[in-house]
Amino acid sequence: MQITQGVLRALGQGFQAAFLQGIESVKPQWPLVAMEVQSTAKIENYGWMRDLPGMREWVGGRVIHNLEATNYQLINKNWEHTIGVDRNDIEDDQLGLYRNRFAMQGEVAAQHGDTLVWSSLLLGNSTIGLDGQYFFDTDHVGYDAAGVEAVYSNYAAGAAAPWFLMDLSRTYMKPLVMQKRQDVKFVNLDRETDDNVFLKRQFMYGADARYNVGFGFHQLAYMGKTALDVAAYTAARVAIGTQRKPDGSSMNVMPTHLLVGPSNEAAARQLIRLENIGGTTNPWYNSVELVIVPALG
């Protein structure tokens, strides 16, 4: 095949089409647990998410909720994935496999958000969140029914495989944040005068993106590293469901999803999917939606 600008343009369009097909073939899981925030700068400040928002009775003057200054910031990161196409393969018309590679490249790009979200979640018991505590911790600031400051725990320490109980009922408030500065786009370096072609005989095609993942509302999530059994699950539900605001009123948080990896799948199915356990009615039958996430181990 004779290489011309028209041929290169057509190849680029074909590779991009395969790339987009790969992206469209993936249904990512991260939107379930992370809210997407559009970023317009290198760094975004999340002081506005320090407390779970709620209405209050208007007594006296208004309570102004400003964008507070906080140390919790997310810096956008650059991501890329590049494929080189050898000039000889174009001249010899050996391009069939490349289209599959570009489709796989699209899949990889579409799955990357999941990779970041689940890896971040697993580190939540050792990563600082919005309140200056580890996102999953035993001594967050909470309140009792009288509005008196109390300790709140959304973490049960242990050596077992982790499991997560979450309230994912809200559209715009989630436990994690997917901060997007630039969505994935297909780019190329495919002119015959480009250095990569002249020096290495490689036409370059790649995926570029700019985003990052961080933590949102710890009030909506609980991490357990103990055995997943009735007692541990009950304690987690009580912890999440009894949270209160500074005025003593309920936060109205109730778990909707249990997220586990393959190691906890059997225990989770027994806990949530069986109507009876050991001849006794299971009070937690179908109490939440069960989500199996391979990355959670």
Side-chain angles (χ1 to χ4, degrees):
M1 178 187 297
Q2 184 177 1
I3 297 178
T4 65
Q5 280 306 115
V7 167
L8 292 173
R9 184 165 52 252
L11 283 176
Q13 291 171 347
F15 293 153
Q16 182 178 21
F19 173 80
L20 293 175
Q21 286 177 346
I23 286 182
E24 292 168 359
S25 70
V26 174
K27 186 176 181 180
Q29 288 182 298
W30 68 257
L32 180 66
V33 301
M35 51 189 169
E36 183 174 328
V37 176
Q38 292 301 318
S39 173
T40 58
K42 177 181 179 180
I43 302 173
E44 299 291 345
N45 185 297
Y46 285 88
W48 57 275
M49 280 173 32
R50 178 167 294 180
D51 297 311
L52 197 66
M55 298 292 284
R56 61 178 288 274
E57 183 182 2
W58 191 344
V59 178
R62 287 180 179 268
V63 174
I64 310 301
H65 298 274
N66 293 315
L67 297 184
E68 300 179 52
T70 178
N71 291 327
Y72 192 78
Q73 299 175 327
L74 276 185
I75 301 174
N76 288 304
K77 294 183 178 181
N78 294 295
W79 308 95
E80 66 85 22
H81 186 278
T82 305
I83 294 175
V85 178
D86 193 283
R87 181 188 181 96
N88 290 349
D89 288 340
I90 297 176
E91 291 178 338
D92 297 341
D93 200 15
Q94 300 294 311
L95 299 172
L97 292 178
Y98 280 106
R99 292 186 176 86
N100 286 339
R101 287 187 65 189
F102 283 108
M104 288 188 287
Q105 183 187 53
E107 287 185 342
V108 167
Q111 292 168 347
H112 188 235
D114 279 351
T115 300
L116 290 181
V117 164
W118 302 129
S119 61
S120 296
L121 190 63
L122 288 170
L123 296 174
N125 60 333
S126 60
T127 305
I128 298 297
L130 292 165
D131 62 351
Q133 303 279 123
Y134 292 142
F135 183 75
F136 295 113
D137 211 339
T138 58
D139 57 351
H140 291 289
V141 173
Y143 300 91
D144 64 17
V148 177
E149 192 171 295
V151 173
Y152 167 65
S153 172
N154 67 339
Y155 177 53
W163 48 272
F164 302 88
L165 191 63
M166 297 185 177
D167 180 350
L168 303 177
S169 63
R170 305 157 196 243
T171 301
Y172 301 108
M173 291 181 278
K174 300 285 186 182
L176 281 86
V177 174
M178 169 62 78
Q179 176 177 292
K180 286 194 174 182
R181 180 68 177 86
Q182 175 198 298
D183 218 336
V184 177
K185 66 178 181 179
F186 189 83
V187 295
N188 50 37
L189 200 60
D190 61 353
R191 295 181 301 176
E192 289 198 88
T193 55
D194 290 332
D195 287 349
N196 49 289
V197 180
F198 181 79
L199 296 174
K200 298 183 179 181
R201 208 176 58 248
Q202 293 279 314
F203 294 90
M204 312 295 286
Y205 303 87
D208 283 6
R210 193 177 172 200
Y211 47 78
N212 203 357
V213 168
F215 289 102
F217 298 106
H218 67 264
Q219 299 93 335
L220 301 178
Y222 184 102
M223 179 186 197
K225 294 200 72 177
T226 59
L228 179 55
D229 55 24
V230 171
Y233 178 78
T234 302
R237 287 186 64 93
V238 171
I240 289 180
T242 56
Q243 293 180 85
R244 294 184 178 274
K245 301 174 187 177
D247 64 0
S249 62
S250 173
M251 281 191 183
N252 292 320
V253 176
M254 282 302 294
T256 60
H257 291 71
L258 176 63
L259 291 80
V260 302
S263 299
N264 274 320
E265 181 175 0
R269 290 191 181 281
Q270 176 171 307
L271 183 64
I272 304 301
R273 293 289 179 256
L274 293 183
E275 292 189 55
N276 296 277
I277 299 178
T280 302
T281 300
N282 177 14
W284 304 127
Y285 171 65
N286 277 347
S287 56
V288 291
E289 185 176 338
L290 180 59
V291 182
I292 311 301
V293 181
L296 297 182

